[in-house]
Amino acid sequence: MSFLIIPDGPAADVIAREAADHLGPSGLRLITHASGRPWVLGDWADEDLRLITVGTHRLVILGRTRLNASAVAEVLGRARTLGDLDAVARDLPGSCHLAASMDGRTRSQGAVSTARQIFYTQFAGTTVAADSPGPLAALTNARIAEDALALRLLTPAVPWPLSHRCLWSGVHELSVGCWLEVGPGGARRAVRWWSPPESGVPLSDAAAAIRAALVDAVAIRVQGRDTVSADLSGGMDSTCLCFMAAASAPNLITYHWKPMDHANDDTEWADRAARYLPAKRHRSVDIEHVPRFDDRPDGCGPLDDIEGPPPWNRGRAHKAAVARAVAAEGSALHLIGLGGDELFGALPAYLWSLVRTHPLTSIRVVRRSQLQNRWGLVSTVRGLADSAGFPACLEATARDITAAPPGPFDVSLGWTGQPRMPPWATGDATDSVRSQLRAAAAAAAAPLDPDRVRHQVLDSVITSGRAVRQLRYALARFGVDWEAPYLDDQVIEAALSVRVQDRVVAGRYKPLLTAAMQGVVPGPLLGRRSKGEFSAEAFDGLRRSRPVLLEQCDDLYLARMGLVNAGALRAALLNPGPETRHLIPFENTLSCETWLRSPSVATAQRTNVPGGTRS
């Protein structure tokens, strides 16, 4: 599914003709404004679109959801402004885009997690939106914004709000929790419709809301499909999805690939789960028979997405193999557990938030965490006492991006994950990143939530949302839609509503999720407290792919752009270090290099007018 949203103005026909050339003129579908001008142009399946029309008011839902058409039509008919449709947006389960056309004005929005997102640009004197930056970049002859690409070298991740920067000049990503309004003259504004809920709901009530939202999210996606597939890694998140899918899908295929390290007990737990689902088809594949991490995707061409470097770059060949395998068995929907760790795991700033809301209760929890993580007393107290605001954190991040990376036992309770530039980044790249961080700090950039742990939850959820939408685009050629139900708006809201003291419970792993899944997942499977570790795959992948990576260093695209010192990267690849954390800086750099070499990006760079946009 891919589409463009055109405003109801005099340039609409021109934009539609231009866009058709880039979207592919054959097979395009079109929905018009009440004026008869083109509005939504693209490619989608019948079951993925609902159109509701009341007089001159039109509403389109693109994606998998459930709605009461008569109730929605009633809201649409009496709406006087586009903001009156907030109630419709809040009530939609599942994951979808919403677009509305009323009296010459348009509203466009995606999901809170950005698993479905809106991008926009200026073209032909007006604002054009799309679900991907690809057609917008093509329309405007956009070039790669090299300063934005330099940010993507940061390890482990780009901090908010710079993580929201689009990599194509002149193309922008809609702010989180907002919808885009475009008027008849082409003027635009982002309107906030969603804010995080208060976190005061007891564990039992929050668990019931999560269970209802998750069961609904899975059922909506499975409805009408004969065969669906799902990851069954053995972890808690994927296991829960499999049992929810099994309750709705006539035919469920689970897919598990066995880890290299025999100390990793994921396979043991996956086998246990499979025994509780005897009527389903289970595929468990030895590591020797699937692509390793860092393998190139043989037999399917490169996995291509013009949006940006994929966060899952290291496993792209494996994901292509999964897509081929489940498609061959008849599945057009594959469920993954992305988002579960982010919503239900214990994020670093949890202790900081707990100390401020429940100081007495927190003493025992802090002490336990200090011993488990081998933190020093002084550094623990210093981290808990830190009261720096978000702009100050960005300023400190700018200062420290070339410092030594934090060690395994360092206390990290701040807003961000202490990102660092890799040692092979050029001085120009580092100066650019530092300047952008300081500019965000000077502009008093706001966090996603005033509370640190809730900010971290949302920041992680948005990162996962980007990952799943890029995964969906990159693997669309196999005819399999990848979906992550944990990233649905209503699941996120329910998870954020829980009291901070209930996010972590002594002796229980992911207590909120396990409480929500009581009665859905067999009790023995909810007792797992371990988590799989994949450093063996990471080292093996680097060893296997090193010859190709060293060859790329002879003509490194990132070096051509002045962002990376190829010689320094080569030296690091030959001697990466003995610990898994030493491999982390390679992740984003190699993902950026792979992206620059992908067909769409190479074609865009070759054909677009340097630095220009046309109108």
Side-chain angles (χ1 to χ4, degrees), residues 200-213 493-495 497-499 502 512 515-516:
V201 179
L203 177 62
S204 58
D205 294 341
I210 289 168
R211 178 168 55 250
E493 285 212 3
S497 70
V498 72
R499 298 182 305 188
D502 290 336
L512 185 53

Side-chain angles (χ1 to χ4, degrees), residues 345-361:
L347 296 180
Y350 163 74
L351 295 175
W352 186 93
S353 298
L354 183 65
V355 163
R356 279 153 181 78
T357 54
H358 295 80
L360 294 179
T361 305

